[in-house]
């Protein structure tokens, strides 16, 4: 079975541009998480969806960040406008139930110049 | 805010040596997980410990959860170059979906 799929794997953009990160969770999983990893802050939860509904978005840094899950097999994380401090690795993870093992994707490495 | 402190931050050892890394907090967690992350990849779950004082073994890796469920340790016996990676601990509180991650210990095992 395929694991969590993320695209793109790498993204380089200029400050002010819109960035969209994509995630396909493992089939059958009903919980989806977006994380951000930086050297300074480590791995932080941005938002959590259960059955396609956002349950906890308290980790979303500010209004420039938004996330959607239109169906069980697809989610997006959008940054508009992007800023250099958004540079990080963004991970998507999914699980079968919110208390079960989370399986992480390979991440999207974002660099905002 | 629950915080997890991991130590050491960096560790470089020779193949065959033993090592222990630590994960400490002032908060109580309902469970604690250990992950290993390799370069360019996402974290992969190694183990979950739930009961205070619990010890779990995974081949050459031994995980222990503190009696008070505030801290944990990972001991590797006879480290191998394949053990190289970032080791992360993560604690689950009341809302078990919400994991608090430490910043990790970056382990390098030299051949």
């Amino acid at each position: 079975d395929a694991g969590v799929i993320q695209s793109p794997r790498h993204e380089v953009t200029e400050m002010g541009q819109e960035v969209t990160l994509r995630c396909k969770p493992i089939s059958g999983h009903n919980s989806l998480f977006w994380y951000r990893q930086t050297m300074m802050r480590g791995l932080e939860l941005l938002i959590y969806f259960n059955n396609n509904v956002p349950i906890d978005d308290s980790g979303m840094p500010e209004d420039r960040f938004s996330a959607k899950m239109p169906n069980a097999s697809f989610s997006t994380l959008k940054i508009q406008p992007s800023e250099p401090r958004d540079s990080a690795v963004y991970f998507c993870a999914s699980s079968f139930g919110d208390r079960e093992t989370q399986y992480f994707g390979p991440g999207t490495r974002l660099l905002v110049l | 805010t629950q915080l997890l402190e991991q130590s050491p931050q960096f560790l470089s050892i020779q193949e065959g040596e033993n090592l222990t890394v630590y994960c400490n907090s002032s908060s109580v967690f309902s469970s604690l997980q250990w992950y290993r992350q390799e370069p360019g990849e996402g974290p992969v779950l190694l183990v979950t410990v739930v009961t205070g004082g619990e010890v779990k073994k995974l081949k050459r890796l031994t995980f222990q959860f503190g009696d008070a469920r505030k801290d944990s340790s990972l001991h590797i016996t006879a480290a191998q170059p394949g053990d190289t990676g970032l080791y992360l601990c993560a604690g689950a509180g009341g809302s078990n979906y919400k994991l608090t991650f430490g910043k990790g210990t970056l382990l390098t095992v030299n051949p």
Side-chain angles (χ1 to χ4, degrees):
Chain A
D1 279 343
V4 176
I5 299 172
Q6 291 188 247
S7 64
R9 292 295 308 274
H10 302 272
E11 178 81 32
V12 180
T13 190
E14 293 187 342
M15 183 173 64
Q17 296 298 306
E18 177 179 297
V19 175
T20 299
L21 312 180
R22 297 172 176 79
C23 173
K24 177 179 170 55
I26 293 172
S27 178
H29 283 189
N30 64 350
S31 294
L32 185 139
F33 308 81
W34 281 101
Y35 289 89
R36 178 172 67 177
Q37 186 176 40
T38 62
M39 288 288 291
M40 288 294 293
R41 301 174 67 90
L43 201 60
E44 302 174 286
L45 178 65
L46 299 177
I47 188 167
Y48 158 58
F49 291 87
N50 185 257
N51 292 323
N52 313 335
V53 176
I55 303 299
D56 183 352
D57 65 354
S58 59
M60 295 286 264
E62 48 198 271
D63 292 346
R64 297 185 298 107
F65 285 68
S66 62
K68 294 182 179 180
M69 192 165 185
N71 57 63
S73 59
F74 184 66
S75 178
T76 60
L77 178 67
K78 185 177 293 186
I79 309 173
Q80 166 63 16
S82 58
E83 296 183 2
R85 59 191 168 125
D86 301 330
S87 297
V89 183
Y90 291 80
F91 289 101
C92 175
S94 70
S95 66
F96 183 66
D98 59 8
R99 300 185 180 204
E100 300 301 320
T101 300
Q102 295 183 25
Y103 294 85
F104 285 76
T108 295
R109 192 172 297 270
L110 173 66
L111 178 60
V112 183
L113 302 173
Chain B
T1 302
Q2 295 178 312
L3 293 175
L4 278 169
E5 299 287 339
Q6 290 191 246
S7 61
Q9 189 176 357
F10 301 97
L11 186 57
S12 181
I13 61 172
Q14 294 300 121
E15 182 176 1
E17 293 183 2
N18 301 333
L19 67 113
T20 302
V21 298
Y22 300 92
C23 175
N24 296 295
S25 175
S26 58
S27 302
V28 176
F29 292 98
S30 60
S31 66
L32 197 137
Q33 300 178 343
W34 284 93
Y35 292 78
R36 183 170 72 203
Q37 183 178 10
E38 298 188 14
E41 300 297 330
V44 175
L45 180 67
L46 296 174
V47 77
T48 301
V49 285
V50 179
T51 306
E54 182 176 4
V55 177
K56 280 192 174 179
K57 293 193 174 183
L58 186 65
K59 297 183 179 178
R60 293 176 293 100
L61 279 60
T62 301
F63 305 85
Q64 184 162 6
F65 202 11
D67 290 340
R69 290 186 287 129
K70 293 182 179 181
D71 53 82
S72 182
S73 64
L74 160 59
H75 182 79
I76 301 179
T77 303
Q80 299 177 0
D83 296 326
T84 293
L86 179 68
Y87 287 82
L88 296 162
C89 66
S95 301
N96 280 350
Y97 69 83
K98 198 158 190 171
L99 297 176
T100 299
F101 280 85
K103 292 184 182 179
T105 293
L106 185 60
L107 172 66
T108 302
V109 182
N110 302 299

